[in-house]
Amino acid sequence: MRFVDVILPLPLQSVYTYILPEEWQNAVMPGFRVIVPFGVRKFYTAVVAEVHERQPEGYVVKAVYEVLDTAPVLLPFQLTFWRWLADYNLCTVGDVYKAALPSGMKLESESRVVLNDEFTGSEVLTEREQQLVSLLSGRKDASLTQLQKECGGGKVLRVVNSLLDKGVLCMDEKLRHGYRPRTETHIRLTPSFFKEDRLHEVLDDLKRAVRQQSLLLKYLELSDAGAALRLQNPGLLAEVSRKKLVEAAGSSMQACRVLESKGILESYPYETGRLRSTEVTDTVGLSPLSEEQQRAYLQIGETFKRYPVCLLHGVTSSGKTEVYIHLINRIMAEGRQVLYLVPEIVLTTQLTDRLYRVFGSRMGVYHSKCSDAERVEIWQKQLSDHPYDIIVGVRSSVFLPFRRLGLVIVDEEHEQSYKQQDPAPRYHARNSAIVLARLCGAHTLLGTATPALETYHNVSTGKYGLVKLTGRYGNVRLPEVEVVDIRELQHKRRMHGPFSPRLLEVMRMALENKEQVILFQNRRGYAPMIECRACGWVPKCKNCDVSLTYHKGLNKMTCHYCGFTCQMPTQCPACEGEELMQLGFGTEKIEALVHEIFPHVSVARMDLDTTRSRSAYERILRGFQEGKTDVLIGTQMVTKGLDFDRVSVVGILNADAMFNLPDFRSYERAFQLMAQVAGRAGRRSRQGLVVLQTKSPELALVSQVREHDYAGLYTQQMEERQMFTFPPFCRLIYVYMKHRQVDTLDRLAAEAGVRLRAVFGSRILGPDAPPVSRIQLLYIRKIVIKVEPGASLSLVRGHLLRIREELLAHPDYRSAQIYFDVDPV
């Protein structure tokens, strides 16, 4: 008798064992998906982790309900990778499984209700109950979601429970497939007419039915039927869709259906897939590398002989992408695959168009804007005999199966977007990619103009190799950064909203010269805060401890944490005053002011509000690329590796908002953001200009940005971090606790602090309330653990999981949430 240990898509600490029915005893192996019962009526798609013959003792083992696969959907290294991710990030393998597989590959058990045919009672039903019974009459079943909609909202579950108690209804569990292949109707000859003599007879008979005859002749042409008929091999017939056949023959759908009714042709569903198809004939050759790029390309190859990981530190517009393309070409020539990670989907538009021109259909794209069905098809293609040789994708791409992985490229490796925040697993894609590459025997190339300080520390300690690109492509000089002190300008009332006179001057000159401008403001909306001039009242979110942001286009105030919205008040509810001031500048307000100052200029805005749809960000970038837009205003989206020829001026409107954050990484992040957005200027012909507006021009950070002095930033920050023991001189683990009752949460946090200090001593900081201490009605407390680099993570993990389990076992804390964030950013 054989058993399987399976991973369920649930936050469970262990695997569960099921027995394999007789018909599947020798048909299942690790990596298969199986349907298993869990609980009373639930069914889940589980992944087989191990097949064995060890019968569990002490309980009755349930049987596997169904086997979904004929071959593994997970490769052996992926299961190892999942376990590493769970151990390192202090979560469960079930959390990793839930994040890794597309939803369409996980069958769902959906609660459904049916009328009880055996019900003979005489209970009196309420009006609401009678309405629900009427809805179910004549139907096999209905899901609770359907009933909720059809009953016009309300708490339908209470009514269902009442009917269940009375025996009028009963529950039914049915498995729902999340993924259905995309199909179209194709046409082929029926077996009885797959003979030349029969076809001649039919064509003679159809002389009077001209439309039918021409359609049949066109089918024989499109399907290349000659060879198939001579060799009597139906497998040689080419696929022909019914729609294309009718169009090519200039006939009608009715004529096609008549031929089907006569048994000459037959229709069948043909799986077409959803993936982008690009002919390799559309591709172009590699562009030649400059002398410095060629040197870097060769150095990377030499570095990989000594180091598994190499950092390509290249200034903005130095041509790192062209070096990547040549490396990809070399790896593909060796018969191996490449994973090309980018931090956000906004980067993929320009990048994928460029890569498609070189590599054509050998490349696939995997990101959150792909539909779930597309993600399923990419996964299946990667398991096929003809997978993509290159995958370009965001952080979730590390979960894809690769049989021949040879290189992982992590572009803009410093980006925070590589870190998954919620839900678990809270992994960092850069660090995970390095482990993935090691498991596959591949190398990792990290590329950026502003490396994360931890990455550069790994270079300086000899853990990673280093290759530098110090000059811009075409010998264009790095942009000039001009610092404008707006403190005095504001005092003298010489500012025009957020614009200094100098910024307006250079913008006007650029626009007159038919050049483009980028304005960077890392706050979306119209006004970040509304305040009553009389009493100081500020509208706040009812679910979170944050002020609401005013969005003028919607005439609503919105919480950027939970999405709560409300109408803009006309008067203060506290003092009934009508003087409500709009404080601060969001990207929406910047856009309105630019229209006001430059009325004949085309302006576009790129932030979360304008890029929600799949094609919106592509439309914005394409318009700017083609010169249809003169001024692009955006949040940090505009800092991420975009390449525009005609941008000559970049305005950083409020630098102080970036480096005044209560975080030890604030200076590092501010430098990275400002250096990256500055790098969008002057990328082709002549030196660009960056106007950096700040109230603190005397800061060393401002000088470092102005002088493009990454080395100075690194030296200064390393000294401070070593002095106060912050990464990379320790590892951080944040312990988050959440609860609806603040008093209960404070008691939990205090007890957690005591227990943790008993184990970790002075390594513990807190508990404290974070800057935003309530989100979505849950109060938050945080404890910081500093772990020295040589400490055993397995021991740390054991202590933390034990303490969490002990705390959650307390009756007062059972409804609390406790989770860990390892290596937070």
Side-chain angles (χ1 to χ4, degrees):
M1 191 63 67
R2 307 191 84 188
F3 300 85
V4 289
D5 290 343
V6 302
I7 302 168
L8 288 156
L10 299 169
L12 303 169
Q13 290 293 342
S14 58
V15 294
Y16 283 73
T17 303
Y18 290 82
I19 190 169
L20 276 172
E22 190 66 34
E23 64 268 30
W24 294 318
Q25 283 285 306
N26 298 309
V28 175
M29 57 192 297
F32 272 54
R33 293 174 303 152
V34 293
I35 302 294
V36 296
F38 191 79
V40 180
R41 287 192 175 94
K42 290 289 183 182
F43 290 88
Y44 289 97
T45 301
V47 171
V48 175
E50 184 184 358
V51 182
H52 57 83
E53 298 180 356
R54 304 184 302 273
Q55 181 163 0
E57 298 179 358
Y59 62 92
V60 177
V61 184
K62 293 182 179 180
V64 168
Y65 183 77
E66 187 178 344
V67 175
L68 295 179
D69 303 308
T70 56
V73 298
L74 284 183
L75 302 177
F77 80 86
Q78 288 179 282
L79 286 170
T80 306
F81 183 52
W82 283 14
R83 294 188 185 102
W84 174 84
L85 274 170
D87 285 342
Y88 188 86
N89 294 288
L90 296 172
C91 63
T92 68
V93 182
D95 289 322
V96 179
Y97 166 31
K98 195 169 183 180
L101 249 66
S103 298
M105 296 181 70
K106 302 188 284 272
L107 298 180
E108 298 175 5
S109 177
E110 193 174 62
S111 297
R112 305 182 76 86
V113 291
V114 296
L115 287 174
N116 184 3
D117 293 332
E118 298 176 1
F119 174 69
T120 57
S122 57
E123 281 84 356
V124 177
L125 303 184
T126 67
E127 182 178 346
R128 185 83 164 152
E129 290 171 342
Q130 290 174 350
Q131 178 190 5
L132 197 144
V133 170
S134 298
L135 284 172
L136 285 167
S137 298
R139 294 165 62 172
K140 290 184 178 180
D141 56 22
S143 71
L144 295 180
T145 305
Q146 291 172 329
L147 292 174
Q148 186 85 16
K149 292 178 181 177
E150 294 174 19
C151 286
K155 295 184 177 179
V156 72
L157 184 58
R158 185 177 298 171
V159 183
V160 170
N161 281 335
S162 174
L163 291 170
L164 288 170
D165 291 340
K166 293 176 180 178
V168 180
L169 302 182
C170 56
M171 296 295 294
D172 185 25
E173 289 291 324
K174 293 195 175 179
L175 293 168
R176 179 168 59 84
H177 287 261
Y179 167 72
R180 289 186 178 87
R182 176 179 287 177
T183 60
E184 64 180 14
T185 303
H186 278 213
I187 293 293
R188 63 190 171 201
L189 281 170
T190 58
S192 57
F193 283 87
F194 191 71
K195 299 170 184 174
E196 290 192 60
D197 53 345
R198 289 295 307 273
L199 281 174
H200 287 304
E201 292 174 11
V202 168
L203 289 169
D204 288 338
D205 294 340
L206 294 175
K207 283 182 180 178
R208 293 186 178 181
V210 179
R211 284 179 177 270
Q212 296 174 38
Q213 187 187 56
S214 65
L215 194 141
L216 181 56
L217 286 169
K218 180 56 71 173
Y219 167 78
L220 296 174
E221 176 191 335
L222 294 176
S223 64
D224 296 326
L229 288 165
R230 283 195 302 274
L231 298 173
Q232 280 297 291
N233 184 357
L236 296 177
L237 290 172
E239 293 290 341
V240 179
S241 79
R242 182 160 64 185
K243 181 179 179 181
K244 289 183 179 177
L245 173 61
V246 170
E247 291 174 355
S251 185
S252 66
M253 197 65 73
Q254 180 63 29
C256 188
R257 289 198 175 98
V258 171
L259 289 176
E260 292 177 51
S261 66
K262 292 179 178 179
I264 302 169
L265 298 177
E266 64 180 358
S267 63
Y268 61 97
Y270 178 76
E271 187 173 335
T272 59
R274 298 168 172 83
L275 304 183
R276 172 175 177 171
S277 177
T278 304
E279 295 297 327
V280 179
T281 52
D282 295 337
T283 61
V284 297
L286 299 178
S287 300
L289 296 175
S290 69
E291 184 178 337
E292 188 175 11
Q293 288 172 332
Q294 181 67 23
R295 177 189 55 77
Y297 168 74
L298 295 174
Q299 282 185 349
I300 291 169
E302 291 299 314
T303 303
F304 279 151
K305 294 177 181 178
R306 293 177 290 139
Y307 300 96
V309 182
C310 175
L311 170 65
L312 177 59
H313 185 192
V315 298
T316 55
S317 195
S318 57
K320 293 185 290 294
T321 305
E322 206 58 52
V323 176
Y324 298 156
I325 289 173
H326 281 253
L327 284 167
I328 292 168
N329 190 62
R330 188 180 76 191
I331 295 296
M332 288 169 50
E334 296 170 358
R336 306 194 73 184
Q337 294 170 294
V338 177
L339 172 60
Y340 191 147
L341 288 176
V342 293
E344 283 193 26
I345 183 178
V346 72
L347 276 181
T348 62
T349 305
Q350 286 187 318
L351 179 64
T352 53
D353 287 347
R354 189 169 172 182
L355 292 176
Y356 269 126
R357 288 196 297 270
V358 179
F359 300 112
S361 57
R362 301 178 73 178
M363 187 188 86
V365 180
Y366 191 84
H367 52 63
S368 59
K369 288 292 194 288
C370 296
S371 68
D372 190 71
E374 287 174 320
R375 290 198 288 272
V376 171
E377 291 187 10
I378 290 173
W379 190 289
Q380 292 173 342
K381 183 171 177 62
Q382 291 305 95
L383 290 169
S384 72
D385 294 333
H386 302 285
Y388 288 120
D389 293 316
I390 318 159
I391 289 288
V392 178
V394 294
R395 60 175 179 255
S396 57
S397 304
V398 298
F399 295 118
L400 286 170
F402 292 91
R403 296 186 186 275
R404 303 176 277 106
L405 189 63
L407 176 66
V408 178
I409 297 170
V410 185
D411 197 15
E412 308 295 348
E413 64 85 24
H414 66 279
E415 279 287 346
Q416 287 178 257
S417 308
Y418 282 125
K419 173 72 172 178
Q420 163 76 9
Q421 300 295 347
D422 278 309
R426 296 171 178 85
Y427 66 100
H428 198 298
R430 177 195 62 215
N431 303 338
S432 303
I434 292 170
V435 174
L436 172 70
R438 188 178 71 227
L439 290 172
C440 296
H443 289 104
T444 307
L445 180 64
L446 311 178
T448 179
T450 54
L453 297 185
E454 288 93 333
T455 298
Y456 211 79
H457 179 72
N458 284 333
V459 169
S460 64
T461 55
K463 189 175 179 180
Y464 298 168
L466 174 66
V467 175
K468 289 189 175 184
L469 273 170
T470 57
R472 283 186 147 193
Y473 187 78
N475 295 317
V476 177
R477 294 169 62 193
L478 285 167
E480 177 189 355
V481 179
E482 186 175 325
V483 178
V484 176
D485 185 354
I486 60 174
R487 180 171 42 195
E488 187 69 20
L489 292 171
Q490 286 179 341
H491 180 69
K492 294 180 178 179
R493 299 183 182 277
R494 293 184 57 199
M495 295 286 290
H496 194 297
F499 302 108
S500 65
R502 177 57 178 160
L503 178 55
L504 290 177
E505 178 190 352
V506 297
M507 286 177 63
R508 188 170 285 109
M509 290 170 57
L511 294 170
E512 287 173 357
N513 294 330
K514 306 299 182 184
E515 295 169 339
Q516 292 173 305
V517 177
I518 290 178
L519 297 177
F520 172 55
Q521 174 74 347
N522 209 20
R523 292 295 295 268
R524 62 188 175 98
Y526 192 82
M529 193 166 72
I530 304 296
E531 182 180 81
C532 174
R533 186 186 294 272
C535 69
W537 171 80
V538 174
K540 292 192 173 182
C541 177
K542 68 175 187 178
N543 304 319
C544 313
D545 281 342
V546 293
S547 60
L548 296 172
T549 299
Y550 175 51
H551 290 254
K552 189 174 183 180
L554 302 171
N555 195 30
K556 289 181 182 292
M557 294 188 298
T558 302
C559 173
H560 289 171
Y561 282 83
C562 71
F564 168 77
T565 61
C566 65
Q567 292 294 327
M568 176 72 175
T570 56
Q571 64 179 26
C572 173
C575 70
E576 298 186 354
E578 296 184 356
E579 291 189 75
L580 299 178
M581 299 184 297
Q582 298 171 4
L583 303 180
F585 298 90
T587 50
E588 189 181 6
K589 192 170 186 177
I590 304 295
E591 181 184 22
L593 287 169
V594 172
H595 278 300
E596 179 185 306
I597 299 167
F598 303 101
H600 304 298
V601 165
S602 174
V603 183
R605 173 164 53 96
M606 191 162 73
D607 55 27
L608 188 61
D609 298 322
T610 61
T611 57
R612 292 187 186 276
S613 70
R614 180 171 183 168
S615 59
Y617 69 95
E618 294 180 359
R619 186 176 62 253
I620 293 168
L621 291 179
R622 190 171 294 113
F624 198 63
Q625 180 90 44
E626 295 172 355
K628 297 176 182 176
T629 305
D630 301 307
V631 180
L632 178 63
I633 301 159
T635 57
Q636 59 183 340
M637 286 183 176
V638 300
T639 71
K640 301 179 188 300
L642 302 175
D643 188 3
F644 302 112
D645 296 350
R646 295 170 50 225
V647 175
S648 63
V649 173
V650 167
I652 300 174
L653 300 182
N654 185 9
D656 303 85
M658 290 180 277
F659 47 70
N660 286 335
L661 297 173
D663 191 306
F664 74 94
R665 285 196 174 94
S666 61
Y667 274 29
E668 176 190 3
R669 289 175 183 161
F671 180 92
Q672 289 166 343
L673 278 173
M674 288 189 284
Q676 289 286 341
V677 74
R680 303 313 110 205
R683 295 175 69 89
R684 285 294 181 271
S685 54
R686 62 185 180 86
Q687 184 182 27
L689 175 65
V690 179
V691 178
L692 192 160
Q693 298 184 161
T694 176
K695 297 177 183 177
S696 308
E698 71 283 354
L699 283 179
L701 175 64
V702 174
S703 298
Q704 289 157 359
V705 173
R706 184 177 61 234
E707 297 165 11
H708 308 285
D709 183 15
Y710 176 83
L713 172 83
Y714 175 78
T715 301
Q716 181 192 48
Q717 289 297 302
M718 285 297 104
E719 289 174 356
E720 291 184 6
R721 293 194 186 186
Q722 188 166 25
M723 185 184 303
F724 296 104
T725 317
F726 277 104
F729 302 102
C730 75
R731 294 182 53 205
L732 292 183
I733 300 174
Y734 288 172
V735 183
Y736 283 101
M737 294 153 284
K738 295 183 178 181
H739 199 278
R740 287 182 176 268
Q741 301 296 325
V742 66
D743 294 339
T744 303
L745 179 62
D746 285 336
R747 291 198 305 273
L748 168 63
E751 188 170 342
V754 170
R755 289 173 182 258
L756 289 169
R757 279 191 174 85
V759 176
F760 297 103
S762 60
R763 301 180 183 91
I764 300 298
L765 299 176
D768 294 305
V772 180
S773 59
R774 187 176 67 125
I775 297 176
Q776 295 181 341
L777 298 176
L778 291 173
Y779 291 93
I780 308 168
R781 296 294 181 266
K782 181 177 79 173
I783 292 175
V784 177
I785 306 175
K786 292 183 176 182
V787 182
E788 55 269 27
S792 167
L793 184 61
S794 60
L795 287 176
V796 172
R797 174 187 171 84
H799 288 305
L800 291 176
L801 294 179
R802 174 182 57 79
I803 291 171
R804 180 175 69 176
E805 186 177 345
E806 292 170 356
L807 289 169
L808 293 178
H810 193 286
D812 292 345
Y813 307 144
R814 283 176 184 167
S815 58
Q817 297 178 26
I818 303 176
Y819 63 87
F820 309 105
D821 188 359
V822 181
D823 298 336
V825 298

